[in-house]
Structure formats: structure tokens, C-alpha cells
Amino acid sequence: EKKQLSISEITFHVMMNVYGKSRHANGASRAEKLLRSMQADGLSLNATSYNICIDAYARRGDSEKAKKLLDEMVEISEVHVECRPTIHSFAAVVNALAKSEAEDSVEQAQMIVRNVEELDYVSPNSVLYNSLIDCITKNGGINASSQAEDVLAKMRQMHNEGHSDVRPTPYAYSMVLTCCARSQDVGAAERADSILMNMEQMYEAGHSDVIANDRCYSAVITAWARNGSVNAVQRSLELLDRMEHNLNEDKPHGRPNAHCYNACIHAIAKSSLSGSQKTQKCQEILERMVDQKEKGFHESTPTLVTYSTILNACAYANGDLNDKKEAFNLAKSCFRTLLESDDMKPCPSCYTNFFLVISRLLKPGEVRDMMAEATYKEAYMSGETISIQVLKNFRNASPVMAKKLLSDEDKSRVDLQRNKPRPMIA
């Protein structure tokens, strides 16, 4: 028979929750102090009492203390069964490990999950496996993407075998795809693409809860952007077309947003396309973003990242004089748009990349010096502290103007950065 908590015990739980969910750094330790006060006063503890404290430590990424409380629950539950860990207890510790910086966090999380799978008083659920995927994604090593995919495959298998609490959720899919996007594994982009297409097929087959949302699409486009293969740009653009189709046809799957467009621009910037091809494709994507914004879909509004990435793509545009002229004109147009915008102004990355454009696409001489001077003055007049990288690129673009305009202090900052010893490579 379940024991009813007294008013005092409920009050303790409420206060523990308040401390645990607060933004105070010591909120978790204050919640645990209340737990110890309950013990000292002879009040009844149960799994909820411990779970509140474990959650509090998990919020702060303190996996060591969260794990210590879990071990305590296991130990005392032999006498006090009401303190036996629940599936929430185990999942919360895995969540704490995901947020921690422990080197062996993934191994610890995997061990906890294996232990749960062998216990007879709790059953694994989606939350537990989602937390494990989250831990692998954030803290995993070179094999992280394949490990995350294995967990997702296990969830599918268990669900198919009748484990209703282990249903692969959109969050699980999106985290696995994010893991693939961050991975440098050969074939990670192809595998991510396959998972995305499988999600859409599952939805069409009647699994209405499996929706390939914009986060899923964004992760796959990012995976292709980092892939660097010959067909990376083409496939990124195909996925972008598919997202726009979802929007136009009011389909539930991912719809384009600025992050997805930016990932495509990044794929173009990293590609081996010719200078004119890079410029043309970047221009086309920018126009598509503006077009979507004008149609009322403001999630596609170009951002500072959009313009900065285009500037970087233009800076590294190869080809003949006409190719470089075309790239420079696009870069200048983007930079002017930022200067004239009421909503955003050039960020340090934008200035850094535009100085790269000047130094790489303009021949040394009066025009280049004037352009570098005007750009530096815009940065100076913005009132923001000019970063060392911006100053360095300014000097590379026009040593004459840098010598004329930079203060002795700024020159020293650049010299210190240039002369800073590089770490030894073992």
C-alpha cells in the first residue's frame, strides 16, 4: 500500500523543486540539504525526494553528485522499497552525464543503460535512450555517429517487438542526424540522408508521429556541407528544394529557415566549384531567402551568418578576372546591404571576410587602398571594439592604410598576435 505523504513532506518537496529549478548555482546543493533535513527529522523519503535532487544536479551538469544519489537510492531501497530508483532516476543521471564534461561520460551512460536493461523493476523508455543519444552527440568521440545510430536502431527494434514505451521520437532522430552532421566519419552524410528519407517513408506508411522537421533537414544539409564531396552542393540544394516544396504544399515535414539556407551557402563555399559557379549559386540562394521573406515566411530572412558566409565564399572564388569581378560585386552588394540595413549591422566576421575579399580579389593599388580605408572607417565608426582578426585582415588588405590609420596600440595588438608562438605539434 502506497504511503501518503504528510503536509510537511509535501512542503519539503515543493521547496526542493524551487531550489532545484532555480538559476542559482547552488540550487542543487540546497535541494539536497533539504533532503538531508528530511532524513534527520525522520520524515518519509521516496523516489520523488531523490529524483528532485538528481534532476537539480542534472540541470547543472554535475553528473558525479547525481550518480552518487542514484547509488544511494539503490543501496537503501533494499530496506526502503519506496526509495527504489524509477526509470526517471536513471534517465536523469544519463542526462547529467550528457551535460557534464567528464571524459568517460558516454561510457558511464552506456553502462547505466545496460544496467537498466537487466533490471526487473524498471523498463527502459524513450526518455532514457534519448538521453543516451544526447550524451553521445555532445560528448562522443570519432565513432559518435555510428554509436548514436546503433541506439536509434535498437529503439526501432524494441518498438517493433512490442515495447510501447520505447518509441523513436522526432527528438531522437534529430539528435542522431545532428551527430552525423558533426561527424567526420566517411559516409556520415549519406547515412544521415538515408535516415531522413526513411522518416518520410515511415510517415507515409502511417507513423504520423515520425515527422522530419526542419531541425532534421538542417542537420542533413549541414552534414552534406561538411562532406566536401563532388555531389555535396547538389544534394544540399535538392534537400532545400524539398523543404520549399513542403512549405508550398503545406506538408508537415521540414520547412526552410535561415539556418538551412546558410548551410547550403556553406556547402557552396567549401566546394570545388569555379568562382562564377559559387557566385551564381550564392546569389540564387540569397534571392530565394529574400523571396520567401517577402511572401511572409520570415524564418527565411537572411541573417548576419548568411552575409558573412557569402562574403567568405566570394573571397575564395577562383577563376579568371571576370569570375573575380563577379564575386567582388556580389560581396560589395552584400556588405552594402548590411551597412544600409535598419535591422542588422556588420559583425566582426563580416568585416574579417570583407577584408579578405578586398585582399584576394582586388589588385594592389589605389582602388584597393581606398576600399580598405573606407571599410576600416565603417568598423571604427560603429563604436564596437575592433577584433584582432579584423585589424590583421585590414593590414593584409592595405599595409599603407593600416600604417596610416591604426593607432600604436592596435599595431601592437596585431604584432603580438602575429608573433605569438604556435603550439608544438607532437
Side-chain angles (χ1 to χ4, degrees):
E1 184 180 353
K2 188 174 181 180
K3 184 175 179 180
Q4 189 170 0
L5 293 177
S6 68
I7 294 177
S8 297
E9 291 158 348
I10 293 173
T11 302
F12 267 100
H13 283 180
V14 171
M15 290 305 301
M16 288 162 66
N17 257 313
V18 170
Y19 286 133
K21 294 180 179 179
S22 72
R23 296 183 180 181
H24 295 296
N26 64 344
S29 59
R30 294 181 74 175
E32 186 178 354
K33 282 183 181 179
L34 290 176
L35 177 74
R36 302 309 174 195
S37 295
M38 290 181 71
Q39 288 176 319
D41 294 344
L43 298 175
S44 297
L45 300 179
N46 58 20
T48 300
S49 313
Y50 280 92
N51 287 347
I52 292 171
C53 293
I54 292 175
D55 277 335
Y57 282 121
R59 284 172 177 268
R60 293 158 177 81
D62 194 335
S63 58
E64 184 176 346
K65 290 182 179 177
K67 178 68 164 54
K68 187 176 180 180
L69 285 171
L70 177 63
D71 292 340
E72 183 178 323
M73 291 178 76
V74 173
E75 182 179 349
I76 68 174
S77 65
E78 296 179 4
V79 178
H80 303 283
V81 69
E82 64 273 11
C83 293
R84 177 180 287 172
T86 64
I87 189 61
H88 181 91
S89 313
F90 294 103
V93 175
V94 175
N95 182 37
L97 288 164
K99 294 177 180 178
S100 76
E101 297 180 355
E103 292 184 2
D104 62 342
S105 60
V106 173
E107 290 76 11
Q108 287 190 59
Q110 290 171 329
M111 184 178 297
I112 289 172
V113 172
R114 284 195 295 269
N115 290 340
V116 170
E117 291 170 345
E118 295 174 0
L119 293 173
D120 58 3
Y121 59 85
V122 290
S123 298
N125 63 8
S126 296
V127 177
L128 178 71
Y129 288 114
N130 286 351
S131 298
L132 177 57
I133 292 173
D134 196 24
C135 185
I136 293 170
T137 301
K138 293 176 179 176
N139 304 329
I142 57 175
N143 297 318
S145 62
S146 58
Q147 289 178 330
E149 291 170 57
D150 288 343
V151 177
L152 180 62
K154 185 168 192 174
M155 293 177 73
R156 286 174 176 170
Q157 180 182 349
M158 292 180 68
H159 183 68
N160 292 336
E161 291 174 351
H163 297 270
S164 59
D165 289 339
V166 186
R167 177 185 291 273
T169 63
Y171 179 80
Y173 280 104
S174 67
M175 289 306 296
V176 171
L177 293 173
T178 298
C179 198
C180 290
R182 295 175 180 175
S183 171
Q184 296 185 6
D185 288 357
V186 176
E190 289 83 354
R191 296 198 307 274
D193 203 311
S194 177
I195 291 172
L196 181 70
M197 294 301 102
N198 180 256
M199 291 179 71
E200 292 199 359
Q201 291 167 6
M202 290 176 66
Y203 180 85
E204 296 299 330
H207 298 275
S208 58
D209 59 325
V210 181
I211 297 176
N213 57 30
D214 54 355
R215 184 174 178 178
C216 295
Y217 268 92
S218 178
V220 178
I221 293 175
T222 301
W224 279 114
R226 295 178 177 176
N227 177 269
S229 66
V230 177
N231 63 333
V233 172
Q234 182 61 34
R235 187 53 184 153
S236 296
L237 293 175
E238 288 173 357
L239 290 171
L240 191 60
D241 290 341
R242 199 178 185 98
M243 295 184 80
E244 290 183 348
H245 176 74
N246 291 337
L247 174 62
N248 296 333
E249 298 297 322
D250 198 28
K251 291 195 171 185
H253 301 297
R255 301 178 178 190
N257 57 31
H259 185 78
C260 299
Y261 286 108
N262 293 344
C264 284
I265 295 172
H266 182 63
I268 294 167
K270 283 193 64 178
S271 72
S272 58
L273 293 173
S274 67
S276 61
Q277 288 175 316
K278 282 187 177 183
T279 303
Q280 180 183 355
K281 290 187 180 299
C282 284
Q283 179 73 55
E284 288 174 355
I285 291 180
L286 182 59
E287 289 173 356
R288 287 166 71 168
M289 295 178 76
V290 173
D291 182 57
Q292 292 290 357
K293 176 192 174 184
E294 291 176 350
K295 290 178 180 178
F297 197 67
H298 296 285
E299 288 83 352
S300 298
T301 302
T303 65
L304 283 173
V305 174
T306 306
Y307 289 108
S308 180
T309 309
I310 291 176
L311 291 173
N312 185 263
C314 291
Y316 290 95
N318 298 316
D320 58 24
L321 187 61
N322 287 332
D323 290 337
K324 292 184 177 181
K325 182 178 179 181
E326 189 176 348
F328 179 77
N329 287 336
L330 174 58
K332 186 170 67 172
S333 173
C334 288
F335 197 71
R336 183 184 297 115
T337 297
L338 288 174
L339 292 176
E340 296 174 353
S341 172
D342 294 328
D343 302 320
M344 53 186 170
K345 296 299 178 185
C347 61
S349 177
C350 293
Y351 281 109
T352 297
N353 284 321
F354 193 60
F355 276 125
L356 270 179
V357 167
I358 294 170
S359 62
R360 292 179 63 89
L361 300 184
L362 295 180
K363 293 180 179 180
E366 185 178 355
V367 172
R368 178 163 147 175
D369 289 339
M370 290 175 60
M371 184 65 69
E373 178 186 14
T375 303
Y376 172 76
K377 287 182 176 179
E378 287 289 350
Y380 182 82
M381 293 300 294
S382 70
E384 301 291 333
T385 301
I386 302 177
S387 71
I388 292 178
Q389 190 60 51
V390 171
L391 295 174
K392 182 179 177 181
N393 283 18
F394 170 42
R395 188 157 75 174
N396 290 340
S398 178
V400 173
M401 286 300 166
K403 184 177 181 180
K404 174 183 175 183
L405 297 175
L406 291 185
S407 66
D408 290 340
E409 180 183 353
D410 284 339
K411 290 174 185 175
S412 297
R413 288 170 64 203
V414 177
D415 288 335
L416 284 172
Q417 180 68 19
R418 184 176 61 179
N419 298 326
K420 187 177 180 179
R422 297 182 179 180
M424 296 293 290
I425 300 176

